[in-house]
Each structure stands twice: as structure tokens, then as C-alpha cells.
């Protein structure tokens, strides 16, 4: 696909006005406080079960932790012994945690690696997921973006973002992992969740979102007809009277707003020909990164893939991220 969004020099300065609700911080404080209270003492409620995955240099635990409203979420924890830093990874749209041997890179490089399942997903690609979403929804288009779209308290991604934050809470309780040395990462949907977690969690050592989804929804809907953002378009094409309610709900979940609250150093990536997560939606989060942080300047960098679509850097990312993360965890 050819270049279709703003030129790179304009993207680097792109800082859109955001329709940010006045009670955004209070909304997420109530959500996370409620789920943390419901989940009880994580030292007692996080369950690790050692799995024989046929691996010689890496140990694997099947992890269950309390997510949104204490609902159980599954993850794989892969690690050498003893790990110093944990990398928490969130997954792309439609995928699940798959199988342990699919996730060897970070553990092989000397990091604990928590691969977090996405509730209700895991049947779109890959080797499957194991976490149901027990919460229902009103009328919605196929997919996940419009589930609970008329109320931010009911929206699917309120639960998923809460699960993602609780994954960091959970891995910090594991013996042998330094709770002050936790990084978050992910591609596409996983990149969007990385941004959200970085905006809602204190004390992360790094955030590495790649070609992130779930940011600057209004702009995305206006300039791309590709899924998943087209789920919103299809919904509004039928429910014409719901536009204000839809974008009000999404304003509570927008990575462009949550990125402003981040405090950790960040390494982004963007693909300038990406029709799935358009470049300007990525830059809306990147250019606002840590803008509300009280700790002063927060380091950020972005790798630009000028001739790629949503695949971004693919395998080239790991070497780059590994070198960057090692610089931030020495």
C-alpha cells in the first residue's frame, strides 16, 4: 500500500486535540482499585503450576491470576534461573497465548517472560487461548471493539486493560523476579495494551509498543476502512444515533490519552504504509508520551519502517528491543 497518511515531518509534530473525559483518571482509579480489592492478596491468589514443556534451558509455569473483577486470566511464564527482569507481553488482536515453545526468545536472552492471554480471544490465529470472557454485551458488530460500546464501564477493553495491569501486579509477586524491573511490550493490540498499562502503572522499567492499535480512535475511523477499526464504522452505519456515546466510551480507553500519563522510557515502532493502525494514530500516542508525567523528561524513541504495512519490523524488532532494554536494565 502506498503512503496515505501525513508526511513524516508532519507526523513528528502531530499533536491532535483529544476529547479526553474530565473523570478519566477517576474512572481508571475506581476500575483498578475495585479489581485489586476483589482479587485479594496476590501472594495467595496468583497460582503457578510447573509445566513439562520439553524444554531444557527454560522453565515454564502455567499462571492464573485475578484480572478484571477477580475473573481468572491465564498466562505462560517462561524464565531462566534466576531472572533479573520480567518482560510482560500482550498479544495481537484475535490471538491467544498459544504454546510455551512459541515464546522462547526473551527467556533465552535471560529474562522472565510473561505471555498474557487475552480474554475471549485466541481463535483468530495462532495456537489458541485459554481465557474466557464471562461478561456479555449488548448489540455489537462481529469482533471486540463494539462490545459494550455505549458505556465505558461495560466496554470489553475496560476488562482487557485491567487484566493487562493486573498481569504486571501478578508477575511482581513471583519469587526470583525483581518487582522494580518489569517491562511491557506487544504488537498491534498488544502495543495498545502496552501503552495503556504504561499509563496506568507506576514503576515500570520500560515500555515497547510496536505498531500499536487502540489509540486515537476518531482519527483511525476517519482514514482507514480496515479492521478492526472498521468494526466501529460498521456499528455506526447501523446505529446512526449512537455516535456521541460511542466516541465518549472510547475516550476512556484511548491510548493517545493514557500515553500522556506514562512514566517509563519507551521504544515505539511505526510503519508508514500501515493501513490497519495508521501512522498518525501511533504518533498521537508517541508525541504525547509522558506529557503529564511529574518526573520531568521521560526518554522515548521511535523506529520508522518507511516501506512496511502492519507487519512493521517483524523479526528485526527483537534484536533492537533486546539491545535497548539491556541499556535500561543494567
Amino acid at each position: 500500500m502506498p503512503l496515505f497518511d501525513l508526511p513524516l515531518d508532519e507526523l513528528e509534530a502531530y499533536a491532535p486535540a483529544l476529547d479526553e473525559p474530565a473523570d478519566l483518571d477517576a474512572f481508571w482509579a475506581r476500575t483498578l482499585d475495585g479489581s485489586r480489592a476483589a482479587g485479594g492478596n496476590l501472594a495467595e491468589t496468583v497460582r503457578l503450576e510447573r509445566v513439562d514443556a520439553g524444554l531444557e534451558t527454560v522453565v515454564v509455569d502455567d499462571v492464573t491470576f485475578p484480572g478484571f473483577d477477580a475473573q481468572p486470566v491465564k498466562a505462560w511464564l517462561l524464565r531462566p534461573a534466576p531472572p533479573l527482569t520480567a518482560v510482560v507481553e500482550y498479544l495481537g488482536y484475535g490471538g491467544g497465548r498459544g504454546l510455551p515453545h512459541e515464546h522462547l526468545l526473551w527467556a533465552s536472552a535471560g529474562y522472565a517472560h510473561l505471555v498474557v492471554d487475552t480474554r475471549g480471544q485466541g481463535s483468530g490465529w495462532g495456537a489458541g487461548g485459554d481465557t474466557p470472557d464471562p461478561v456479555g454485551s449488548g448489540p455489537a458488530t462481529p469482533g471486540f471493539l463494539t462490545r459494550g460500546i455505549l458505556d465505558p464501564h461495560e466496554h470489553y477493553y475496560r476488562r482487557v486493560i485491567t487484566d493487562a495491569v493486573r498481569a504486571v501486579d501478578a508477575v511482581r509477586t513471583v519469587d526470583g523476579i525483581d518487582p522494580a524491573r518489569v517491562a511491557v511490550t506487544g504488537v498491534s493490540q498488544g502495543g495498545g495494551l502496552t501503552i495503556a498499562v504504561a499509563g496506568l502503572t507506576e514503576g515500570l522499567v520500560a515500555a515497547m509498543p510496536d505498531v500499536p492499535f487502540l489509540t486515537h480512535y476518531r482519527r483511525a475511523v476517519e482514514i482507514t476502512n480496515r479492521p478492526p477499526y472498521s468494526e466501529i464504522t460498521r456499528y455506526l452505519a447501523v446505529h446512526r444515533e449512537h455516535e456521541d456515546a460511542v466516541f465518549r466510551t472510547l475516550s476512556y480507553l484511548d491510548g493517545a490519552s493514557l500515553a500522556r500519563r506514562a512514566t517509563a522510557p519507551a521504544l515505539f515502532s511505526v510503519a508508514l504504509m500501515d493501513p490497519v493502525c495508521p501512522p498518525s494514530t501511533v504518533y498521537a500516542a508517541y508525541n504525547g508520551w509522558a506529557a503529564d508525567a511529574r518526573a520531568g523528561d521521560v526518554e522515548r524513541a521511535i523506529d520508522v519502517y518507511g516501506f512496511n504495512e502492519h507487519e512493521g519490523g517483524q523479526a528485526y524488532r527483537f534484536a533492537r528491543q533486546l539491545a535497548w532494554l539491556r541499556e535500561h536494565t543494567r
Side-chain angles (χ1 to χ4, degrees), residues 45-284:
T45 56
V46 176
R47 300 196 306 274
L48 277 72
E49 181 179 350
R50 185 58 49 87
V51 173
D52 182 1
L55 305 174
E56 295 293 334
T57 61
V58 172
V59 295
V60 180
D61 289 305
D62 187 344
V63 180
T64 307
F65 66 90
F68 176 83
D69 200 27
Q71 294 160 1
V73 177
K74 302 292 289 183
W76 295 123
L77 178 61
L78 301 94
R79 50 183 165 155
L84 296 176
T85 300
V87 175
V88 179
E89 181 181 2
Y90 309 110
L91 303 171
Y93 195 80
R97 66 175 182 163
L99 300 171
H101 62 262
E102 297 180 278
H103 308 288
L104 295 177
L105 286 178
W106 283 111
S108 298
Y111 294 86
H113 183 198
L114 187 74
V115 184
V116 182
D117 222 9
T118 308
R119 63 168 58 225
Q121 297 188 30
S123 298
W125 54 270
D130 298 289
T131 303
D133 182 16
V135 183
S137 168
T141 59
F144 303 95
L145 265 181
T146 63
R147 295 186 182 184
I149 193 65
L150 299 182
D151 184 343
H153 295 89
E154 302 300 325
H155 197 276
Y156 170 78
Y157 276 107
R158 179 186 179 225
R159 301 189 292 279
V160 175
I161 291 171
T162 301
D163 292 345
V165 171
R166 294 291 282 158
V168 172
D169 293 347
V171 81
R172 282 174 162 163
T173 70
V174 176
D175 288 343
I177 292 176
D178 184 345
R181 295 164 68 115
V182 176
V184 289
T185 191
V187 180
S188 191
Q189 175 182 259
L193 293 175
T194 295
I195 291 169
V197 172
L200 296 169
T201 305
E202 295 290 336
L204 294 173
V205 73
M208 299 178 290
D210 286 329
V211 290
F213 176 45
L214 306 174
T215 176
H216 202 5
Y217 293 95
R218 174 79 73 168
R219 171 74 174 173
V221 169
E222 289 173 350
I223 69 171
T224 185
N225 63 357
R226 294 283 290 274
Y229 286 119
S230 61
E231 294 171 18
I232 300 169
T233 307
R234 290 202 303 273
Y235 179 90
L236 288 174
V238 174
H239 300 284
R240 298 163 177 82
E241 72 280 14
H242 290 169
E243 178 179 355
D244 289 345
V246 163
F247 285 106
R248 176 183 179 274
T249 292
L250 294 174
S251 71
Y252 286 90
L253 310 164
D254 196 332
S257 292
L258 296 174
R260 299 179 60 85
R261 291 153 170 80
T263 56
L267 176 64
F268 276 66
S269 74
V270 63
L272 297 188
M273 295 184 178
D274 186 348
V276 176
C277 296
S280 53
T281 68
V282 177
Y283 272 97

Side-chain angles (χ1 to χ4, degrees), residues 11-44:
L11 289 169
E12 290 173 342
Y14 185 65
L18 301 174
D19 183 18
E20 185 177 296
D23 64 338
L24 178 64
D25 294 318
F27 172 87
W28 279 109
R30 288 193 301 270
T31 295
L32 296 175
D33 288 349
S35 289
R36 284 175 173 141
N41 183 350
L42 287 182
E44 299 174 355

